[in-house]
């Protein structure tokens, strides 16, 4: 099998294995010195999440926790972390590509304690996948290796088309020759080589259906762009892939979502990082990404511009905001990275109108309108929020 | 061995036939329990007070199918009763060998007679007594009843046989209307609790269903028997004084009477007391008027300089025997007992003893199990109105390290005194007397301090053990996982590396956690397997 495995894959593998080994062997050093076994792991709490103004990223703070085996309350988690580390390491050196579910099953077994009277006490190494998933995150933070770097696979969700060629494994893929389909962004985007790219910018659409419509309409060919969909909340691979396009190829990134707080949050995850997983932002976030729309101004117009929708269209397309939408909007308004003039205007208009809109509504006005008027016009006039 | 007792007739009465509830005979169930209790207590008084290791046999049989009539028999190996006093001892109310100042179980001289009276209220058969005093050549038997109007025994049969075997002791059988189903649990509880504080006794019990329970003797060590003492002046009332004076010689003076008949009274003290009463010390004591007697009693009660009453008359059980009894009955994790120093109330000496048992087989419940004893008799009824309960209820057990929601705790309190302040003649609960209440509280607190030390130690050990087992559980898993980083897929190396790591980890845990050798043994006796 090994001759079919690509070189980048092999290199990534040995890099990750070395790092894992190095980190976990420090525990053995401690043991040989007769010191208590302690792992220092940055804290993954909201309180230890810092918004880096300059780099415009959500990052983990300085706070570290010491996970000590000799601390009764930590002993189980300590054991789980080392167990998971060893399973991942074993998979790496054996040329395997486990998913997080595989890892869960590989590590799950019972430890049976039998007392002198023959009475047994049984305990599982972990019970639910939630537990082992959480340990994987600890290992990512402990070793500074993302799961993608450790060749742990997850379900592919993001898709991409455009005039570009890339190398994945031993194959060159031409993303302009995908027919009506698209290339699924692989769970290990760091192993992709960009071979040739002919594009001016990247457009990310939240909705898979809108992505397909734009693709069939030949949008990316006409406007020389790379078209991506996250199909809802973006996964890590899509975010990393986008980040690489932006960072390595210097392509501007525009994001198109529904006009509601949920859409804003998707934009925020692409741009800043997610709150619960801020440790990965450094490698996954795209701080330059622009929010293209759909904005409240597009729906209702502003003193400076005319609305894209007529009165009649508005009344049939607009959905009334629910209680939860309002609550979410107020939360988002409090995030420091939304505290800019344009975002405050956007959010305030939403709170005032209490209205939301799906991108599909723009497409119902006519695919041609969406593809050849709305999107290009907004990009050209720089009508976006940064 | 003082095999001879003094017998005195002190007062007639048929009062108790009319008011049986006052002596505890309020209904068939209670009466059954009460009759048994009176007989068992007499049996014990006839043995341990005279330094005989008690062997007591109790048999209850149902004799009638139509009515619930039971034959109750209690047999002891005690000092026996001289044959000439048997009729009065069982057939004349308020006739007692016990009207002296010394701690005994029975006191009023009416218990067993009340049982006899109750017996003849509902059926016809007389009571049957077989007895042989120590060294008696013959064994005597009687069948008798009480003539209620005359307060006199009626003898139905009497006889005697040769005593070839050197037997001594007494067996009493009586027929009573009872209610076994209702009395059952109390009767068993009574025997169990009696056994707890007399672990030097053996009991045989056969119930009406034919079940036989044996309570073996646990030790040959007996508590020191109480001595007879003279009354203390503080504890005297006019009736007692009159009774004592009636037994004096005609020419005894007031001064001689005080010096001779009371403890803590010498020549000088006697003169001071008499002066306080405003009497002539040389006056013949039998010539005192009621008014003068009253003044004398007042002076005796209020004289400030008496020495405290002598505790010699008291017989404690002792911490050893209490612990032994509690241990045997409850199989607890912890047992501890204290015997307090003697104290006095109103001229009566008393001593409080407290035993605590915790954990093990003790059934946990919201409130501790309270075992009350007075002069070695268990008190079963009226628990909540007893001063012991009042004190126990106020104790905050958390302060003594007992955190359990449900307490696996037994609190045993024994009060011994020449006069136990019962709330009623049924002798089931102790009245709130300030000095006694305080002493019970101090006793429980003293015993609880040792319990606390035990609990603290136990908690520490439990924590250490819990930690140890946690590490024990995880170390093999951890060693195996770490060995994977070391061996790099060379599977043949794994077992050796794993074992090395494992041993180092155990060393680490043992040194860092200060594991004691004892726990290390435990540690090694566990096995860890992986499935």
């Amino acid at each position: 099998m090994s001759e079919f495995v690509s070189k980048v894959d092999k290199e990534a593998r040995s890099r990750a294995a070395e790092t894992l080994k190095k980190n976990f062997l420090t525990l053995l050093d401690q043991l040989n010195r007769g010191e208590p076994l302690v792992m220092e792991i940055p804290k993954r709490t909201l309180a230890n999440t810092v918004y880096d103004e300059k780099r415009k990223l959500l990052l983990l703070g300085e706070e570290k926790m010491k996970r000590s085996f000799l601390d009764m309350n930590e002993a189980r988690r300590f054991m789980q972390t080392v167990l998971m580390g060893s399973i991942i390491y074993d998979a790496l050196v054996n040329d395997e590509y486990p998913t997080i579910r595989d890892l869960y099953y590989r590590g799950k077994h019972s430890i049976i304690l039998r007392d002198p009277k023959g009475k047994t006490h049984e305990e599982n190494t972990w019970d639910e996948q939630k537990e082992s998933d959480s340990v994987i995150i600890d290992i990512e933070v402990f070793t500074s290796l993302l799961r993608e770097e450790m060749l742990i696979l997850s379900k592919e969700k993001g898709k991409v088309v455009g005039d570009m060629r890339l190398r994945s494994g031993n194959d060159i893929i031409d993303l302009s020759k995908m027919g009506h389909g698209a290339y699924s962004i692989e769970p290990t985007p760091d192993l992709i080589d960009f071979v040739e790219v002919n594009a001016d910018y990247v457009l990310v659409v939240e909705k898979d259906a809108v992505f397909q419509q734009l693709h069939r309409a030949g949008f990316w060919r006409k406007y020389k762009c790379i078209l991506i969909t996250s199909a809802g909340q973006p996964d890590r691979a899509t975010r990393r892939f986008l980040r690489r396009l932006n960072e390595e190829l210097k392509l501007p990134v525009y994001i198109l979502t529904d006009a509601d707080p949920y859409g804003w949050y998707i934009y925020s995850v692409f741009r800043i990082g997610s709150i619960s997983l801020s440790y990965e932002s450094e490698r996954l976030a795209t701080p330059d990404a622009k929010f293209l729309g759909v904005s409240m101004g597009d729906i209702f117009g502003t003193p400076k511009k005319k609305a894209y929708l007529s009165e009649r269209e508005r009344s049939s397309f607009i959905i009334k905001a629910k209680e939860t939408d309002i609550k979410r909007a107020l939360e988002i308004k409090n995030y420091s990275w939304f505290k800019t003039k344009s975002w405050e205007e956007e959010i305030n208009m939403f709170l005032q109108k209490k209205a939301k809109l799906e991108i599909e509504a723009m497409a119902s006005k006519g695919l041609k309108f969406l593809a050849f008027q709305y999107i290009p016009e907004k990009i050209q006039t720089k009508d976006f929020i940064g | 061995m003082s095999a001879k007792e003094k017998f005195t007739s002190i007062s007639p009465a048929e009062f108790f036939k009319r008011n049986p509830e006052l002596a505890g005979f309020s209904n068939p169930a209670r009466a059954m329990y009460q009759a048994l209790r009176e007989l068992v207590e007499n049996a014990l008084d006839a043995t341990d007070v005279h330094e005989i290791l008690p062997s007591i046999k109790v048999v209850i049989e149902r004799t009638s199918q139509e009515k619930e009539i039971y034959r109750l028999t209690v047999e002891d190996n005690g000092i026996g009763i001289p044959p000439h006093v048997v009729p009065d001892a069982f057939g004349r109310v308020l006739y007692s060998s016990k009207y002296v100042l010394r701690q005994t179980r029975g006191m009023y001289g009416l218990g067993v007679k009340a049982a006899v009276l109750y017996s003849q209220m509902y059926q016809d058969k007389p009571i049957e007594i077989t007895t042989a005093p120590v060294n008696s050549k013959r064994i005597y038997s009687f069948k008798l009843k009480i003539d209620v109007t005359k307060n006199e025994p009626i003898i139905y049969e009497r006889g005697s046989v040769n005593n070839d075997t050197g037997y001594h002791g007494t067996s009493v059988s009586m027929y009573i209307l009872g209610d076994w189903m209702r009395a059952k649990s109390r009767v068993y509880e009574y025997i169990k609790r009696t056994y707890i504080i007399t672990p030097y006794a053996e009991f045989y019990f056969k119930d009406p269903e034919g079940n036989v329970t044996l309570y073996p003797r646990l030790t040959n060590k007996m508590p020191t028997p109480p001595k007879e003492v003279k009354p203390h002046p503080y504890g005297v009332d006019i009736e007692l004084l009159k009774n004592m004076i009636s037994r004096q010689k005609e020419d005894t003076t007031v001064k001689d009477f005080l010096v001779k008949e009371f403890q803590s009274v010498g020549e000088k003290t006697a003169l001071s007391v008499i002066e306080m009463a405003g009497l002539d010390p040389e006056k013949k004591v039998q010539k005192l008027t009621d008014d003068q007697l009253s003044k004398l009693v007042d002076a005796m009660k209020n004289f400030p300089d008496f020495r405290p009453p002598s505790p010699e008359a008291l017989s404690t059980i002792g911490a050893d025997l209490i612990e032994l009894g509690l241990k045997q009955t409850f199989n607890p994790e912890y047992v501890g007992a204290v015997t307090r120093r003697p104290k006095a109330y109103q001229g009566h000496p008393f001593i409080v003893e407290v035993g605590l048992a915790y954990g093990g087989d003790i059934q946990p419940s919201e409130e501790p199990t309270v075992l009350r004893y007075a002069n070695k008799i268990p008190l079963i009824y009226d628990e909540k109105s007893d001063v012991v309960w009042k004190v126990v209820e106020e104790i905050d057990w958390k302060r003594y390290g007992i955190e359990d929601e449900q307490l696996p705790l037994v609190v045993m309190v024994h009060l011994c005194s020449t006069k136990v302040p019962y709330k009623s003649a049924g002798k089931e609960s102790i009245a709130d007397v300030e000095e006694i209440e305080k002493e019970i509280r101090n006793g429980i607190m003293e015993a609880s301090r040792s319990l606390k030390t035990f609990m603290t130690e136990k908690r520490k050990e439990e924590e250490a053990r819990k930690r140890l087992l946690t590490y024990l559980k995880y170390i093999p898993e951890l060693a195996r996982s770490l060995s994977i980083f070391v061996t790099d897929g060379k599977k043949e190396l794994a077992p050796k590396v794993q074992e090395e790591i494992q041993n180092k980890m155990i060393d680490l845990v043992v040194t860092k956690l200060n594991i004691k050798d004892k726990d290390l043994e435990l540690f090694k006796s566990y096995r860890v397997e992986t499935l």
Side-chain angles (χ1 to χ4, degrees), chain A residues 140-346:
Chain A
E140 292 183 279
V141 178
F142 175 53
T143 60
S144 308
L145 287 169
L146 291 184
R147 62 189 64 181
E148 294 77 13
E149 297 174 285
M150 297 186 274
L151 302 181
I152 297 167
L153 302 189
S154 47
K155 196 177 160 242
E156 292 171 346
K157 200 173 160 205
K159 295 192 289 189
V160 56
V161 284
D163 188 5
M164 76 183 280
R165 261 104 4 239
L166 49 78
R167 183 183 293 110
S168 171
N170 290 331
D171 301 323
I172 303 280
I173 320 264
D174 189 341
L175 299 193
S176 66
K177 295 203 160 63
M178 306 304 293
H180 289 153
Y183 176 68
S184 290
I185 300 171
E186 59 177 86
T188 51
D190 279 300
L191 305 188
I192 290 173
D193 266 344
F194 298 131
V195 179
E196 190 191 348
V197 180
N198 182 25
D200 294 339
Y201 62 90
V202 182
L203 178 69
V204 182
V205 290
E206 170 193 349
K207 295 276 175 73
D208 188 22
V210 177
F211 169 86
Q212 291 184 42
Q213 289 168 335
L214 292 176
H215 178 27
R216 286 174 191 244
F219 176 85
W220 57 267
R221 231 179 263 282
K222 177 159 184 190
Y223 295 102
K224 278 183 73 181
C225 80
I226 309 290
L227 187 63
I228 292 180
T229 181
S230 60
Q233 192 62 252
D235 65 3
R236 300 158 54 112
T238 310
R239 290 162 59 197
R240 177 66 189 149
F241 186 75
L242 183 69
R243 159 71 174 264
R244 287 194 61 200
L245 290 176
N246 176 252
E247 191 175 54
E248 295 169 29
L249 306 175
K250 312 286 179 225
L251 296 175
V253 169
Y254 304 104
I255 293 173
L256 186 64
T257 72
D258 288 344
D260 62 15
Y262 187 73
W264 303 336
Y265 189 68
I266 287 178
Y267 163 71
S268 168
V269 170
F270 272 119
R271 190 189 145 185
I272 312 290
S274 79
I275 294 171
S276 61
L277 299 171
S278 55
Y279 67 94
E280 9 133 281
S281 295
E282 207 158 345
R283 302 175 47 83
L284 302 184
T286 309
D288 283 345
K290 311 282 191 246
F291 179 73
L292 190 67
V294 177
S295 71
M296 291 293 141
D298 297 341
I299 306 168
F300 298 102
T302 65
K304 283 179 227 159
K305 80 171 189 193
K306 207 171 140 269
Y308 280 99
L309 298 179
S310 69
E311 190 77 39
R312 222 182 62 104
E313 284 164 342
R314 266 205 294 277
S315 68
S316 48
F317 296 155
I318 278 176
I319 304 168
K320 203 170 169 301
K322 287 185 195 131
E323 199 64 36
T324 50
D325 295 319
I326 305 287
K327 221 179 118 208
R328 192 87 187 86
L330 290 170
E331 263 172 45
I332 286 179
K333 207 178 161 189
N334 261 329
Y335 294 156
S336 47
W337 53 98
F338 276 105
K339 284 187 174 158
T340 64
K341 193 167 162 277
S342 6
W343 270 114
E344 270 165 15
E345 281 172 12
E346 176 74 11

Side-chain angles (χ1 to χ4, degrees), chain A residues 21 32 70 89 114 123, chain B residues 471 473-474 488 504 527:
Chain A
K21 183 172 179 169
N32 290 331
L70 292 188
Y89 180 77
R114 191 182 296 278
E123 182 177 321
Chain B
Y471 300 126
K473 219 166 33 185
Y474 297 145
D488 256 338
K504 277 183 194 164
R527 288 283 159 269

Side-chain angles (χ1 to χ4, degrees), chain B residues 195-350:
Chain B
Y195 180 60
I196 290 173
I197 55 154
T198 47
Y200 50 86
E202 61 183 2
F203 293 89
Y204 168 102
F205 176 48
K206 185 174 182 191
D207 75 12
E209 297 163 50
N211 303 311
V212 172
T213 316
L214 292 171
Y215 300 84
R217 177 174 293 127
L218 301 176
T219 175
N220 287 335
K221 192 192 156 201
M222 280 201 286
T224 322
K227 295 200 175 87
E228 279 183 31
V229 295
K230 297 172 191 168
H232 191 279
Y234 280 155
V236 165
D237 56 39
I238 292 184
E239 285 310 308
L240 179 64
L241 207 57
K242 278 185 176 171
N243 187 274
M244 291 168 79
I245 289 171
S246 71
R247 279 181 280 153
Q248 299 301 311
K249 286 187 199 134
E250 242 171 75
D251 61 346
T252 307
T253 62
V254 177
K255 188 189 78 184
D256 290 346
F257 171 65
L258 290 185
V259 172
K260 202 177 85 194
E261 295 293 334
F262 292 92
Q263 53 168 292
S264 307
V265 182
E267 195 95 358
K268 206 177 137 222
T269 311
L271 288 172
S272 310
V273 174
I274 295 166
E275 197 193 329
M276 223 177 125
L279 302 175
D280 173 5
E282 296 307 323
K283 184 165 175 127
K284 302 283 174 291
V285 71
Q286 291 193 339
K287 303 278 189 228
L288 289 175
T289 63
D290 279 4
D291 185 46
Q292 288 170 325
L293 280 175
S294 164
K295 282 186 176 144
L296 184 58
V297 169
D298 282 352
M300 287 166 84
K301 282 208 184 298
N302 295 316
F303 185 75
D305 294 330
F306 289 124
R307 271 177 283 124
S310 158
E312 282 190 320
L314 302 181
S315 168
T316 55
I317 305 162
D320 298 0
L321 289 182
I322 295 175
E323 288 176 9
L324 182 66
L326 289 174
K327 203 178 253 170
Q328 175 69 18
T329 311
F330 295 100
N331 190 25
E333 222 182 305
Y334 167 87
V335 63
V338 292
T339 300
R340 300 279 296 173
R341 296 177 56 76
K343 292 272 172 0
Y345 79 95
Q346 298 160 19
H348 309 292
F350 73 93

Side-chain angles (χ1 to χ4, degrees), chain B residues 50-108:
Chain B
H50 303 278
E51 299 184 333
I52 299 170
L53 287 167
S55 293
I56 313 258
K57 189 172 174 187
V58 178
V59 177
I60 309 176
E61 301 149 289
R62 178 142 181 191
T63 59
S64 155
Q65 288 310 309
E66 307 91 67
K67 283 166 83 183
E68 266 203 70
I69 301 295
Y70 295 86
R71 182 174 196 262
L72 170 60
T73 303
V74 175
E75 198 181 314
D76 67 57
N77 61 336
I79 55 165
I81 307 167
H84 64 281
V85 302
V86 168
D88 278 346
F90 288 90
R92 196 191 294 275
V93 175
L94 297 183
Y95 177 93
S96 176
S97 72
K98 293 171 185 165
Y99 205 82
V100 287
L101 275 186
R102 134 174 109 179
Q103 175 197 326
T104 47
R105 294 176 173 86
M107 210 45 176
Y108 298 133

